[in-house]
């Protein structure tokens, strides 16, 4: 039975952040890049609800613009990881011989590295910045999708309805796309939901280290890094993006749990 509390809480938290990100792409209370050195490190007030940073920039405006950057990077990362992982996972599950073994070996080798460590290594190769972080994180998360898709394909390809599709003359490609791929959608959906939250966390960690979107463009990660030297003097600079990252993780995990219970009822009792 689906946990409605998890569903509603996850949808509300995630939906709120997505709404802020969409709004931040078109409107913010102030220009998130505008400097005001006379109002630096201003405390939260009716004028600046979350205060101002070390350059007098409105924290709420930068938080909204940062939501647009962080969530869009996470969404593109997850989309690339799912599309490429699904393709390679199906290829590894359908083919036999050296091709399947080669794809599986590459996947296992990538899975041997922690995701954030692999992303750090790849960023050194592809370069820091928005595009580099998307490519690095997509490659880091892709093996997990490949493994799930491959196991689903191996489980489904010998079943009766798949054999019946082959017997009536359907091509292997048609059979895989129409009869096998739908069996992979449920685990991919659950994985993609959870992966979205972890992609936000990974992007924030890499931006915190200075390997993501370069300042002055705001992301939650580089806002967290810029607020660190003023932690005792201006706590809100680190608290605001930290809460957003935590809420994003909590919301996507709750939503992923609810979708897992809905799409795979056998897991609901675990």
């Amino acid at each position: 039975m689906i946990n409605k509390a998890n569903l509603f809480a996850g949808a509300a938290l995630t939906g709120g952040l997505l709404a802020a990100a969409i709004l931040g792409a078109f409107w913010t209370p102030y220009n998130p890049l505008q400097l005001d050195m006379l109002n630096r490190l201003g405390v939260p007030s009716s004028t600046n609800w979350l205060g101002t940073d070390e350059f007098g920039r409105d924290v709420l405006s930068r938080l909204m613009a940062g939501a647009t950057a962080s969530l869009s990077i996470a969404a593109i990362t997850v989309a690339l990881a799912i599309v490429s992982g699904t393709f390679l996972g199906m290829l590894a599950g359908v083919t036999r011989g050296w091709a399947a073994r080669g794809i599986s070996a590459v996947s296992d080798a990538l899975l041997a590295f922690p995701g954030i460590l692999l992303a750090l290594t790849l960023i050194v190769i592809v370069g820091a910045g928005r595009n580099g972080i998307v490519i690095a994180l997509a490659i880091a998360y892709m093996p997990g999708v490949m493994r799930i898709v491959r196991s689903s394909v191996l489980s489904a390809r010998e079943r009766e309805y798949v054999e019946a599709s082959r017997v009536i003359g359907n091509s292997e490609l048609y059979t895989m796309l129409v009869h096998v791929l739908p069996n992979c959608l449920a685990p991919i959906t659950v994985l993609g939901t959870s992966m979205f939250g972890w992609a936000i966390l990974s992007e924030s960690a890499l931006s915190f280290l200075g390997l993501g979107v370069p300042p002055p463009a705001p992301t939650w990660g580089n806002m967290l890094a810029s607020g660190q030297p003023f932690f005792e003097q201006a706590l809100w600079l680190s608290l605001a993006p930290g809460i957003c990252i935590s809420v994003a993780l909590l919301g996507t995990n709750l939503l992923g749990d609810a979708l897992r219970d809905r799409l795979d009822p056998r897991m609901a009792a675990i």
Side-chain angles (χ1 to χ4, degrees):
M1 181 178 179
I2 188 171
N3 191 323
K4 292 184 178 180
N6 283 357
L7 178 62
F8 293 148
L13 293 175
T14 306
L17 291 178
L18 289 174
I22 294 172
L23 180 62
F26 301 99
W27 175 85
T28 55
Y30 299 93
N31 184 343
L33 302 180
Q34 182 176 356
L35 306 182
D36 183 5
M37 299 305 294
L38 298 179
N39 193 30
R40 63 188 303 269
L41 299 179
V43 299
S45 64
S46 58
T47 305
N48 303 103
W49 288 5
L50 295 180
T52 60
D53 65 6
E54 69 274 23
F55 295 110
R57 298 171 298 195
D58 181 59
V59 173
L60 177 59
S61 299
R62 289 182 62 79
L63 206 65
M64 293 172 64
T68 304
S70 295
L71 270 63
S72 63
I73 289 174
I76 297 171
T77 296
V78 171
L80 286 176
I82 287 178
V83 170
S84 57
T86 299
F87 172 76
L88 293 174
M90 289 195 67
L91 189 62
V94 172
T95 58
R96 293 173 174 82
W98 64 269
R101 290 194 297 270
I103 295 174
S104 299
V106 172
S107 175
D108 293 340
L110 293 176
L111 285 171
F113 294 90
I116 190 67
L117 180 60
L118 179 59
L120 281 170
T121 304
L122 292 170
I123 283 180
V124 173
I125 300 172
V126 301
R130 183 187 181 95
N131 294 335
I133 204 170
V134 167
I135 295 172
L137 289 177
I139 295 175
Y141 287 124
M142 179 181 64
V145 181
M146 289 173 57
R147 182 174 61 177
I148 287 179
V149 172
R150 180 177 180 272
S151 62
S152 298
V153 171
L154 291 175
S155 174
R157 71 179 185 182
E158 304 301 334
R159 292 185 179 178
E160 291 80 2
Y161 61 88
V162 176
E163 290 295 335
S165 177
R166 295 192 183 102
V167 168
I168 64 176
N170 291 327
S171 65
E172 189 72 17
L173 178 61
Y174 178 89
T175 300
M176 291 297 109
L177 293 178
V178 175
H179 298 292
V180 176
L181 182 59
N183 290 311
C184 306
L185 295 181
I188 289 175
T189 301
V190 175
L191 178 63
T193 304
S194 299
M195 192 187 299
F196 183 73
W198 289 109
I200 293 173
L201 180 62
S202 298
E203 183 277 328
S204 299
L206 293 171
S207 292
F208 181 84
L209 296 174
L211 299 174
V213 177
T219 67
W220 290 341
N222 63 31
M223 288 181 66
L224 202 60
S226 64
Q228 187 181 17
F230 308 96
F231 190 79
E232 294 184 359
Q233 183 181 0
L235 178 63
W236 58 88
L237 296 183
S238 299
L239 191 61
I243 289 175
C244 287
I245 295 169
S246 301
V247 168
L249 271 176
L250 178 61
T252 52
N253 283 333
L254 290 175
L255 191 58
D257 287 344
L259 289 175
R260 180 199 61 189
D261 295 343
R262 174 65 178 87
L263 298 173
D264 189 0
R266 295 171 298 177
M267 299 293 292
I270 298 177

